Amino acid sequence: MSITHPVNPGLPSTSRSLPIALIRAREGVMPPIRAMLAESGITEQQWRVLRALEEYGPLSASNMAHRAGLLLPSLTRIAQKMQDRGLITLTRDEVDKRRQTIAITLVGQRILDDNREQAAQIVQGFKRTLGDEKYEQLLDLLALLENPGQNL
């Protein structure tokens, strides 16, 4: 005898749940990126830090956390490991000693440069799957969810 559970009318099925769909999509896109990063010896979070520094230049810790999609306490731990490996520099503010500026080093830049072509191929694979227009539309829609209360 099978047990059936009534569907909660207030919740969508798990196949139509946005949080679950986002997690499934993340797990669908990450394998080629994880493989690339494993060869480089850096984590997904470290890659995001390096990418943000390359794009925006030196950043404060709070700006870096936002740009890299990290919580500030996590960034603090990640940045220390990255500094120990020579991937970034951490410089204390002269006036406010609590503030730090994070900058990429030549070693960190080399990791980006060495993986640029493979990363671009991964992006092209996503674009082939979705098509250029849907790819850009998906990014635009996801951006709306970054601060959902501000977009209403």
Side-chain angles (χ1 to χ4, degrees):
M1 179 175 145
S2 67
I3 298 173
T4 61
H5 299 282
V7 176
N8 182 332
L11 294 175
S13 76
T14 55
S15 66
R16 300 304 293 169
S17 165
L18 181 60
I20 294 172
L22 289 170
I23 290 167
R24 286 180 181 145
R26 182 181 195 280
E27 292 309 308
V29 301
M30 289 308 296
I33 297 167
R34 288 181 181 135
M36 176 187 72
L37 297 179
E39 292 175 18
S40 300
I42 64 170
T43 67
E44 297 168 36
Q45 296 86 356
Q46 291 171 342
W47 176 258
R48 295 192 321 246
V49 167
L50 293 176
R51 290 271 290 118
L53 290 172
E54 181 182 50
E55 186 172 343
Y56 297 101
L59 292 168
S60 69
S62 59
N63 282 337
M64 171 54 69
H66 172 73
R67 297 284 182 201
L70 296 166
L71 298 174
L72 194 53
S74 297
L75 173 63
T76 301
R77 185 181 65 257
I78 292 163
Q80 188 58 57
K81 288 180 182 179
M82 292 179 76
Q83 181 183 36
D84 293 347
R85 290 189 56 200
L87 303 175
I88 63 168
T89 59
L90 299 171
T91 307
R92 291 246 177 245
D93 187 284
E94 293 286 327
V95 177
D96 184 352
K97 299 293 184 191
R98 296 170 297 172
R99 289 185 50 135
Q100 286 188 320
T101 300
I102 304 170
I104 194 168
T105 64
L106 291 175
V107 174
Q109 185 63 53
R110 189 173 316 121
I111 288 175
L112 291 174
D113 293 343
D114 290 348
N115 289 284
R116 190 171 316 283
E117 186 176 323
Q118 188 175 358
Q121 289 172 355
I122 291 169
V123 170
Q124 287 306 312
F126 299 148
K127 287 182 176 185
R128 276 193 302 278
T129 298
L130 295 172
D132 288 344
E133 188 176 325
K134 284 184 180 177
Y135 177 86
E136 293 299 327
Q137 182 182 25
L138 176 60
L139 291 175
D140 291 341
L141 290 170
L142 291 171
L144 292 174
L145 294 176
E146 287 181 27
N147 296 300
Q150 295 178 1
N151 298 318
L152 298 177

PDB file of all heavy atoms in Angstrom, residues 11 24 32 43 58 62 64 100 134:
ATOM      1  N   LEU A  11       2.241  25.802  -1.748  1.00  0.00           N
ATOM      2  CA  LEU A  11       3.599  25.618  -2.260  1.00  0.00           C
ATOM      3  C   LEU A  11       3.575  24.979  -3.637  1.00  0.00           C
ATOM      4  O   LEU A  11       2.797  24.071  -3.889  1.00  0.00           O
ATOM      5  CB  LEU A  11       4.399  24.713  -1.317  1.00  0.00           C
ATOM      6  CG  LEU A  11       4.706  25.250   0.065  1.00  0.00           C
ATOM      7  CD1 LEU A  11       5.390  24.187   0.909  1.00  0.00           C
ATOM      8  CD2 LEU A  11       5.571  26.491  -0.035  1.00  0.00           C
ATOM      9  N   ARG A  24      19.477  23.132  -8.669  1.00  0.00           N
ATOM     10  CA  ARG A  24      19.666  22.129  -9.724  1.00  0.00           C
ATOM     11  C   ARG A  24      20.427  22.727 -10.910  1.00  0.00           C
ATOM     12  O   ARG A  24      21.308  22.089 -11.491  1.00  0.00           O
ATOM     13  CB  ARG A  24      18.322  21.589 -10.181  1.00  0.00           C
ATOM     14  CG  ARG A  24      17.672  20.653  -9.192  1.00  0.00           C
ATOM     15  CD  ARG A  24      16.336  20.168  -9.748  1.00  0.00           C
ATOM     16  NE  ARG A  24      15.681  19.281  -8.801  1.00  0.00           N
ATOM     17  CZ  ARG A  24      14.382  19.230  -8.621  1.00  0.00           C
ATOM     18  NH1 ARG A  24      13.572  19.993  -9.348  1.00  0.00           N
ATOM     19  NH2 ARG A  24      13.861  18.401  -7.746  1.00  0.00           N
ATOM     20  N   PRO A  32      31.883  21.378 -15.482  1.00  0.00           N
ATOM     21  CA  PRO A  32      33.057  21.744 -16.289  1.00  0.00           C
ATOM     22  C   PRO A  32      33.912  22.825 -15.613  1.00  0.00           C
ATOM     23  O   PRO A  32      35.141  22.843 -15.768  1.00  0.00           O
ATOM     24  CB  PRO A  32      32.468  22.246 -17.608  1.00  0.00           C
ATOM     25  CG  PRO A  32      31.050  22.610 -17.304  1.00  0.00           C
ATOM     26  CD  PRO A  32      30.632  21.712 -16.169  1.00  0.00           C
ATOM     27  N   THR A  43      39.755  26.999  -5.601  1.00  0.00           N
ATOM     28  CA  THR A  43      38.348  26.711  -5.359  1.00  0.00           C
ATOM     29  C   THR A  43      37.458  27.616  -6.201  1.00  0.00           C
ATOM     30  O   THR A  43      37.916  28.619  -6.754  1.00  0.00           O
ATOM     31  CB  THR A  43      38.004  26.914  -3.873  1.00  0.00           C
ATOM     32  OG1 THR A  43      38.124  28.312  -3.570  1.00  0.00           O
ATOM     33  CG2 THR A  43      38.907  26.096  -2.959  1.00  0.00           C
ATOM     34  N   PRO A  58      41.438  46.632  -7.498  1.00  0.00           N
ATOM     35  CA  PRO A  58      41.448  46.450  -6.039  1.00  0.00           C
ATOM     36  C   PRO A  58      40.115  46.859  -5.417  1.00  0.00           C
ATOM     37  O   PRO A  58      39.510  47.851  -5.811  1.00  0.00           O
ATOM     38  CB  PRO A  58      42.569  47.382  -5.576  1.00  0.00           C
ATOM     39  CG  PRO A  58      43.467  47.497  -6.773  1.00  0.00           C
ATOM     40  CD  PRO A  58      42.548  47.460  -7.960  1.00  0.00           C
ATOM     41  N   SER A  62      34.288  44.441   1.807  1.00  0.00           N
ATOM     42  CA  SER A  62      32.821  44.396   1.664  1.00  0.00           C
ATOM     43  C   SER A  62      32.420  44.435   0.193  1.00  0.00           C
ATOM     44  O   SER A  62      31.503  43.705  -0.223  1.00  0.00           O
ATOM     45  CB  SER A  62      32.156  45.530   2.446  1.00  0.00           C
ATOM     46  OG  SER A  62      32.617  46.776   2.001  1.00  0.00           O
ATOM     47  N   MET A  64      34.264  43.369  -2.278  1.00  0.00           N
ATOM     48  CA  MET A  64      34.682  42.083  -2.829  1.00  0.00           C
ATOM     49  C   MET A  64      33.663  40.998  -2.496  1.00  0.00           C
ATOM     50  O   MET A  64      33.290  40.203  -3.359  1.00  0.00           O
ATOM     51  CB  MET A  64      36.055  41.688  -2.282  1.00  0.00           C
ATOM     52  CG  MET A  64      36.458  40.258  -2.634  1.00  0.00           C
ATOM     53  SD  MET A  64      36.396  39.891  -4.396  1.00  0.00           S
ATOM     54  CE  MET A  64      37.745  40.888  -4.941  1.00  0.00           C
ATOM     55  N   GLN A 100      40.406  46.722   4.763  1.00  0.00           N
ATOM     56  CA  GLN A 100      41.464  46.148   3.948  1.00  0.00           C
ATOM     57  C   GLN A 100      41.117  46.295   2.480  1.00  0.00           C
ATOM     58  O   GLN A 100      39.953  46.226   2.105  1.00  0.00           O
ATOM     59  CB  GLN A 100      41.643  44.654   4.239  1.00  0.00           C
ATOM     60  CG  GLN A 100      42.324  44.349   5.540  1.00  0.00           C
ATOM     61  CD  GLN A 100      42.625  42.864   5.652  1.00  0.00           C
ATOM     62  OE1 GLN A 100      41.814  42.032   5.274  1.00  0.00           O
ATOM     63  NE2 GLN A 100      43.781  42.532   6.182  1.00  0.00           N
ATOM     64  N   LYS A 134      18.582  33.763 -25.099  1.00  0.00           N
ATOM     65  CA  LYS A 134      18.084  33.199 -23.836  1.00  0.00           C
ATOM     66  C   LYS A 134      19.155  33.249 -22.748  1.00  0.00           C
ATOM     67  O   LYS A 134      18.839  33.428 -21.576  1.00  0.00           O
ATOM     68  CB  LYS A 134      17.597  31.767 -24.039  1.00  0.00           C
ATOM     69  CG  LYS A 134      16.263  31.688 -24.733  1.00  0.00           C
ATOM     70  CD  LYS A 134      15.794  30.253 -24.821  1.00  0.00           C
ATOM     71  CE  LYS A 134      14.452  30.183 -25.524  1.00  0.00           C
ATOM     72  NZ  LYS A 134      14.002  28.791 -25.679  1.00  0.00           N
TER      73      LYS A 134
END
